[in-house]
Amino acid sequence: MKHYLILVTACIAALFFTRCGQKSSNVENTPEPPGATEKAVSDEITLTDAEMERASGIYFNTCAGCHGTTRKGATGPSLLPDARTKLLTTAGLKAFMMNGTPGGMPDWGKQGILNDEEMDLLARFLQVPPPPIPEYTLDNMKASWKVLVPVEDRPTKPEHDRNWQNFFGVILRDAGQVAIIDGDTKEMISIAETGFAVHILRSSASGRYFYSIGRDGKVTLIDNWMAKPSVVAECKGSFDARSVDVSKYKGPKGDFIDKYVIMGGYTPSHFVIMDALTLEPLTVVSTSGEACDNGEYLEEARVAAIVASHKDPLWVVNVKETGMVWLVDYTNVANPEITKIKTARYLHDGGWDNTGQYFLVAANASNKMVVVDVTNKKLETIIETGIKPHPGRGANVNNKEHGNLYVTGHLGENKITFIATAKGDNQWNIVKNLELPGAGGGNLFVKTHPKSNHLWADRALNNEVSLQRSIFVVDNQTLETIKTIEVPQKYQGRAVHLEYNKAGDEVWVSVWGKMDKPAENAILVYDDKTMELKNEITGDWVITPTGKFNVFNTMHDIY
Ligand code: DHE
């Protein structure tokens, strides 16, 4: 994993800080950021050009997700010299990097991701001003755009007789690949080359295609109807990204099915609308703007979760730093109409309630869940939950006493929160805060299925190794934990992310181990009813599996 990280670090640093006309292989027109390699000097600390370039790459990979590219802070605190880092000093900053924090900062040093020399370099980098964010324009995107298999050369019906709506796309994070697995037979049928550290997959509205988005900002399009599902198009929409979704509104004549795709950029902060079948970039809209609470103008206003409404031609675009939820109408993509709703900071991940009217999103640095009434285009309510809510897409539990309950876990404390969503006096009340067995938070994902009476939760970011390796099963009626399952000892890594099969009777879990030890990585399949392990999907190709996405459940937003 380490060697790959260093390689990728170097590549991304090169993208950000190229000089003398050097070009990345992906993006021929990548512009040169002004002053990016100028020598940085603070009162006591200096970095050479080469150190600045290397430190920027390491920062980009390990820190920017939580602290922001401009280092103003988001899920994690500000890392600007004036605010904080000079006071902490090189030794103090290194201690944080080595040990992490109970609030969710990973222990990069202890995990062996950063060595002493790298932590020292990064600690010095954090005490000088950050480099500016480079531009990335529609022309840059067009230069990166490739159609590998034109639409007219793609199959008109599936080239296999597999149950493709039960396919799983599994992210092989550090291999830069996505595995397509037949959910009925558990066979790996294809490995698609997708690019650096794919973050999520989403299914097209028809389910035929998977879209992946990577930390390199690249969207790839995978065709599940091909005999061997493969990448048929790709386009890089930004330097860095986490979200992608498709147009899911049928419209009077099914006009928007497999019509558009939207990707959200972290760096630069913008969203891009592309043609869903070719990935031709069509429209770019900057998300920089005023913060929801104090009106401050923020250039770094990254796009966090994006979801697509099934009821209206709308995408819900969550702008992290400004705390604004944008409802983007895609009926006129050349000039999309946008409704901007002030909520809370910093927006991260979320999902639909069971009716598809309300979208619930974590404002994780405010310890709140925001509820947006998407049908009526307004803020519904904001709910105090716990320290750093992290729902993923959340889960919709069908509880006999309270009706539907939307569920989120928390990174910063041991709390699984159940929120009543059914209309009536109890709507938006927390009906239960569940403590899982063992101390501390670190829950990343929860999942259930309409056909199941169980909610499954991981604990991947807990400080305790045995809890990182455990998954927890909760009864949807009593809302109590009924089983704790530690993954088999032969697999060494964190148990992360859960996904049901189409029928809702199996739960798939990744064991995210080291890149150079595939035998210690696995995708485990549990029987949802008996909670027994029924399949272990392993092989040389199972390298750092993280998110898994079932075609049927993803196209219908079943969670
Ligand atoms: Fe994620 C979802 C951002 C770290 C695996 N992650 C999301 C979403 C965002 C996000 C904004 C919602 C996307 C959507 O629904 O449109 N994630 C970030 C970060 O900024 C952060 C904290 C740090 C970073 O630098 O990336 C981060 N995420 C991680 C991980 O370390 C995980 C465990 C493995 C990895 O890929 O690095 C991880 N994130 C995931 C997964 C989802 C996700 C699997 C989708 C869950 C789902 O069921 O939809």
Side-chain angles (χ1 to χ4, degrees), residues 470-523:
S470 296
I471 37 179
F472 303 84
V473 188
V474 177
D475 182 294
N476 283 354
Q477 303 312 318
T478 62
L479 308 182
E480 297 295 343
T481 310
I482 50 173
K483 191 158 182 178
T484 301
I485 303 168
E486 187 165 340
V487 300
Q489 275 304 326
K490 59 185 162 179
Y491 305 121
Q492 292 294 313
R494 293 164 198 256
V496 69
H497 196 252
L498 310 135
E499 177 71 319
Y500 275 83
N501 62 341
K502 182 181 174 194
D505 56 10
E506 285 174 355
V507 180
W508 292 38
V509 181
S510 302
V511 187
W512 176 14
K514 292 201 164 84
M515 186 188 181
D516 54 359
K517 295 198 172 141
E520 295 179 1
N521 292 245
I523 302 150

Side-chain angles (χ1 to χ4, degrees), residues 60-66 75 171 173 197-202 215 242-244 266 302-307 320 348-350 390 392-393 444-445 447 461 496-498 512 546-549:
F60 189 79
N61 268 330
T62 42
C63 323
C66 292
T75 309
I171 294 170
R173 186 188 184 282
V198 164
H199 208 77
I200 67 165
L201 303 183
R202 294 291 181 243
R215 271 197 181 71
R242 300 289 182 282
S243 47
V244 67
Y266 257 21
R302 297 175 291 172
V303 178
I306 301 180
V307 295
K320 186 184 278 292
H348 192 73
D349 52 357
H390 192 282
R393 278 171 294 164
L444 277 179
F445 301 106
K447 198 62 64 85
L461 288 194
V496 69
H497 196 252
L498 310 135
W512 176 14
T546 54
K548 299 156 297 300
F549 301 86

Side-chain angles (χ1 to χ4, degrees), residues 8 31 60 64 129 134 177 261 284 326 388 468 480 487 495 504 508 554:
V8 167
F60 189 79
Q177 295 170 331
V261 59
V284 189
W326 289 17
K388 293 201 177 128
Q468 290 167 8
E480 297 295 343
V487 300
W508 292 38
T554 311

